[in-house]
């Protein structure tokens, strides 16, 4: 099974209390597609300008990602810059330049339109819907979003939610979208907006997973050193979607979703160990399997008498 990933492809400038780097490969679709590629074939849909370094295209190619749906157009690539506070958790966006993204109209090549799994990584919900309009094979659709779209494109987001199987968002976004302070209430409220499954991320405190009749709470993998939290949510979504895409969509159970959330957390934990996609470029399936197993043993418990 393959997964279509659409989202932003960016050149980022990132500042943490310890280090600062400019012109890094970033964007929701970059992180998500590379994370997903450890599990399943990936078709990437996005746009970059003619200033986009070839080494980044090569990185996607090395991961076996299908780039037929990647548009390279005259102009500058989308740029974002952000700065993290001392806790590496709160972040301020310093600048956003849409550039070629401003006139981006996603076009799905035939192979991508047949993909059974679709990951709508974070971009404007109108664009996410436009991708779904072109999809012929979608059987399991996962969407990510952010506070910006809840603020400025809520109607588009609500229309999209009626068409997706799963929504991934963080705790403050879940509260913002529903007006609920309790995340448990928020999870149920979001399900009533359309998605059968909802994953609410809580940063270093893990993630909550909701379905109609089941609930799963998962911690985060304990890391001593975080170098750059950028893209953790996108790597989580990519790992989750990539693992699911190794399964037949009709056979996905809640236990598979639990496993997908743990794989997503594992990919997110690797991602924050270096700036940009530095760490995702180094790891392989064996390290992912090892960390998954360590994580499983850390969170698994049995009652002893
Ligand atoms: P995350 O840390 O998961 O929130 O994702 C960070 C990535 O999102 C960065 O690499 C940015 O390039 C990208 N990004 C920031 N703002 C936007 C936006 N408005 N639309 C799409 N992608 C964005």
């Amino acid at each position: 099974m393959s997964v279509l990933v659409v989202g932003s492809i960016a050149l980022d400038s990132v500042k943490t209390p310890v280090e600062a780097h400019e012109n890094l490969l970033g964007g929701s679709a970059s992180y998500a597609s590379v994370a997903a590629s450890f599990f399943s074939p990936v078709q990437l849909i996005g746009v970059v300008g003619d200033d986009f370094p070839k080494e980044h295209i090569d990185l996607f190619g090395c991961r076996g990602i299908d780039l037929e749906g990647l548009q390279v157009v005259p102009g500058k690539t989308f740029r974002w810059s952000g700065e993290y506070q001392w806790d590496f958790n709160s972040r301020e966006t310093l600048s956003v330049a849409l550039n070629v993204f401003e006139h981006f109209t996603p076009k799905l090549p035939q192979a991508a339109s047949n993909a059974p799994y679709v990951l709508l990584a974070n971009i404007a919900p109108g664009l996410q819907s436009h991708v779904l309009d072109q999809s012929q094979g979608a059987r399991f659709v996962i969407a990510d979003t952010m506070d910006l779209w809840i603020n400025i494109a809520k109607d588009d987001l609500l229309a999209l939610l009626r068409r997706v199987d799963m929504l991934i968002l963080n705790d403050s976004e879940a509260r913002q979208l529903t007006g609920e302070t309790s995340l448990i209430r928020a999870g149920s409220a979001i399900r009533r907006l359309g998605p059968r499954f909802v994953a609410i991320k809580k940063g270093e405190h893990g993630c909550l997973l909701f379905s109609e009749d089941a609930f799963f709470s998962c911690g985060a993998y304990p890391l001593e050193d975080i170098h750059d939290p950028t893209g953790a949510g996108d790597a989580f979504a990519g790992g989750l979607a990539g693992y699911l895409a190794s399964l037949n969509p009709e056979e996905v159970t809640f236990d598979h979703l639990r496993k997908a959330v743990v794989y997503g957390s594992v990919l997110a934990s690797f991602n924050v160990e270096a700036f940009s996609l530095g760490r995702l470029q180094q790891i392989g399936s064996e390290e992912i399997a090892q960390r998954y197993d360590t994580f499983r043993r850390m969170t698994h418990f049995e009652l002893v008498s």
Side-chain angles (χ1 to χ4, degrees):
M1 298 279 161
S2 66
V3 56
L4 174 168
V5 176
V6 63
S8 59
I9 301 170
L11 295 174
D12 288 348
S13 295
V14 178
K15 202 168 168 193
T16 73
V18 185
E19 273 177 273
H21 292 279
E22 299 200 336
N23 292 322
L24 300 165
L25 173 60
S28 57
S30 304
Y31 289 106
S33 61
V34 171
S37 72
F38 290 103
F39 303 92
S40 301
V42 177
Q43 282 114 10
L44 176 62
I45 307 293
V47 66
V48 295
D50 50 18
D51 60 346
F52 193 68
K54 183 177 174 302
E55 68 191 80
H56 299 337
I57 304 249
D58 292 345
L59 190 162
F60 296 132
C62 283
R63 292 295 324 146
I65 294 169
D66 179 346
L67 300 175
E68 203 188 336
L70 176 67
Q71 300 173 29
V72 183
V73 302
K76 286 188 175 166
T77 300
F78 173 68
R79 280 172 189 264
W80 172 84
S81 70
E83 178 171 3
Y84 290 88
Q85 311 307 318
W86 65 274
D87 63 354
F88 278 71
N89 210 0
S90 28
R91 177 174 79 191
E92 191 189 343
T93 291
L94 300 177
S95 66
V96 178
L98 290 177
N99 298 331
V100 295
F101 220 71
E102 198 172 347
H103 301 292
F104 175 47
T105 310
K107 285 189 200 74
L108 268 53
Q110 191 61 44
S113 84
N114 291 335
Y117 284 86
V118 176
L119 172 56
L120 306 169
N122 177 35
I123 42 168
L127 286 178
Q128 292 174 313
S129 287
H130 186 66
V131 167
L132 275 192
D133 292 342
Q134 296 172 64
S135 168
Q136 291 163 352
R139 280 143 78 194
F140 200 106
V141 180
I142 303 163
D144 193 354
T145 194
M146 73 186 293
D147 52 355
L148 175 70
W149 312 123
I150 303 172
N151 281 330
I152 68 167
K154 191 164 180 185
D155 288 347
D156 286 353
L157 179 61
L158 292 177
L160 175 78
L161 291 186
R162 292 192 279 275
R163 305 175 65 188
V164 308
D165 296 283
M166 181 169 194
L167 180 69
I168 299 175
L169 72 181
N170 71 29
D171 43 6
S172 61
E173 292 157 355
R175 291 187 169 107
Q176 185 189 353
L177 179 61
T178 61
E180 297 285 359
T181 43
S182 153
L183 291 180
I184 307 302
R185 279 185 187 276
S188 303
I190 296 168
R191 284 195 61 261
R192 288 194 291 275
L193 297 173
R196 292 185 285 146
F197 307 109
V198 177
I200 300 182
K201 298 166 291 172
K202 301 185 294 168
E204 62 189 319
H205 303 298
C207 171
L208 305 174
L209 176 65
F210 301 81
S211 78
E212 183 183 4
D213 49 12
F215 171 78
F216 177 52
S217 173
C218 174
Y221 186 83
L223 285 176
E224 285 194 6
D225 294 312
I226 293 178
H227 289 270
D228 175 15
T230 310
D234 310 311
F236 173 88
L240 181 150
Y243 166 71
L244 287 181
S246 66
L247 308 164
N248 183 332
E250 267 73 53
E251 287 169 8
V252 171
T253 64
F254 193 75
D255 282 344
H256 291 127
L257 285 165
R258 287 158 59 116
K259 224 171 150 175
V261 160
V262 176
Y263 274 120
S265 305
V266 165
L267 267 295
S269 74
F270 279 119
N271 187 64
V272 301
E273 289 179 334
F275 276 74
S276 182
L277 282 86
R279 194 72 179 105
L280 296 189
Q281 279 179 80
Q282 294 170 338
I283 58 170
S285 302
E286 203 166 306
E287 274 154 301
I288 293 172
Q290 269 170 12
R291 188 167 286 190
Y292 176 88
D293 199 48
T294 310
F295 200 180
R296 193 181 59 76
R297 279 184 282 113
M298 274 174 184
T299 52
H300 186 80
F301 70 91
E302 287 172 336
L303 291 176
V304 284
S305 53

